[in-house]
Amino acid sequence: MKISSIELREIRLPLIHFFETSFGRTTERRIILARVVDRDGAEGWGECTCGEGPFYSDEWTETAWATLKDFLAPMVVNAEAENAAGVYDLMKRVRGHRMAKAAIETACWDLEAKRAGVPLWKYLGGVHTEIPCGVSIGIQDSPEQLIEKIDKDLAAGYQRIKIKIKPGWDLDIVRRVRERFPEIQLMGDANSAYTLSDIPLFKALDEFKLMMLEQPLAYDDMFDHAELQKQIATPVCLDESVKMPADARHAIALGACRIINVKLGRVGGHAQAKEVEQVARENKIPIWCGGMLEAGIGRAHNIAMATLAGFTLPGDVSASSRYWEEDIIEPPVTVSARGTIAASEKPGIGFEVNSKRIEQLTTRKETISS
Ligand code: OSB
Ligand code: MG
């Protein structure tokens, strides 16, 4: 594979509802899209999943833009890679910046699958023809508002509910939600808002039979998570702490988690995600596909990844209409009444990219071609 040009764009896309986590509130996304083109004019699309500030991870829109434009795109343009799986190595000299790398890497997979005339999920080796879906519901202005949102998502068919927790919005909230919905698959995501001194809280949460507790402790810690897991019955799930296949190995060896949330951007693209999936599968650790409030291109890549065999739990991939007035792909992502998304039979990411809409949303654009 040889890419002759990479077009980078930033688009702005307002969320239908604000999304709040323990690290802050998002109302409008600033998303970088990468379009790769080869010498025959074939194209592929990728989306950078970083946030608008260095809070979930150290990468954010400005660092990703600069790193993509000044370093990553020039390393890939006109370089020879055996295939899309080899593109990550072309960018190896840059340390970290995995979400920026994934924007280009995933675009190359889309291009290669399109050239082969095969849906990306099959090209990746996926086996599930549809994926089970859950929702991630942010911190709300009131518990009543949260209950109302859960009601609505359950009525739409979603298979599990994830609520965000933080100090002051945890035990009482979980208790209220559990009382109202005794049987549902429920989990909490703390986004690193706690420390080991909160073990009494986590022990108290055990009573509510959460499916898992996502990233309760520091984003860069595994050791304390292992200590916590020893002391509580609820499975710990790591998100932020797993940035590469080796992290998955280390976390499992340490007993730092019993479940892993895999995010395509966080680990650096499809080739890395496949490795994480393999590590988890071989160790019988269930995994699921996380979300980063992606627009349609990122969402489509997530669906493809989540068809890999190891992805057995409902992920945070839900319908476009939960986030956007109008998505940037056609058709938008929809979820069945059983809470599933069917993998597309069309080549590549399996959705049409709405170039006209993207053009309207674009705030800056740069083309790197040798
Ligand atoms: O921790 O999983 C997270 C969104 C932004 C940053 C971090 C996280 C999230 C979500 C949203 O939980 C998942 C989604 O619906 O895209
Ligand atoms: Mg998370």
Side-chain angles (χ1 to χ4, degrees), residues 8-12 29-32 48-55 57-72 97 99-100 363-364 366:
L8 302 172
R9 285 165 185 271
E10 182 185 328
I11 60 165
R12 282 181 201 224
R29 297 294 330 280
R30 289 178 61 191
I31 298 172
I32 298 170
C48 185
T49 64
C50 66
E52 291 68 37
F55 307 119
S57 75
D58 43 16
E59 289 188 85
W60 63 289
T61 312
E62 289 293 340
T63 65
W65 182 267
T67 309
L68 277 160
K69 173 172 75 69
D70 294 342
F71 297 101
L72 301 174
H97 297 277
M99 293 174 180
T363 53
R364 57 176 157 171
E366 187 95 34

Side-chain angles (χ1 to χ4, degrees), residues 19 21 23 56 135-136 162 164 189 191 214 239-240 261 263 288 290-294 299 316 318 322-323:
F19 188 81
T21 67
F23 55 74
Y56 167 82
V135 290
S136 174
K162 159 167 142 185
K164 293 288 186 178
D189 184 0
N191 289 108
E214 186 176 339
D239 173 356
E240 282 91 325
N261 160 343
K263 288 184 181 166
W288 51 278
M292 288 293 288
L293 311 175
E294 288 91 345
R299 208 160 283 276
D316 278 348
S318 52
R322 290 187 70 254
Y323 306 81

Side-chain angles (χ1 to χ4, degrees), residues 31 99 104 178 183 187 208 216 251 254 272 308 317 336:
I31 298 172
M99 293 174 180
I104 292 178
R178 235 336 161 215
E183 305 293 339
M187 58 176 289
F208 300 104
L254 269 170
Q272 306 303 302
L308 296 175
V317 187
S336 75

Side-chain angles (χ1 to χ4, degrees), residues 22 189-195 214-220 225 240-241:
S22 60
D189 184 0
N191 289 108
S192 299
Y194 299 92
T195 68
E214 186 176 339
Q215 197 72 37
L217 309 179
Y219 72 94
D220 52 357
H225 279 101
E240 282 91 325
S241 294

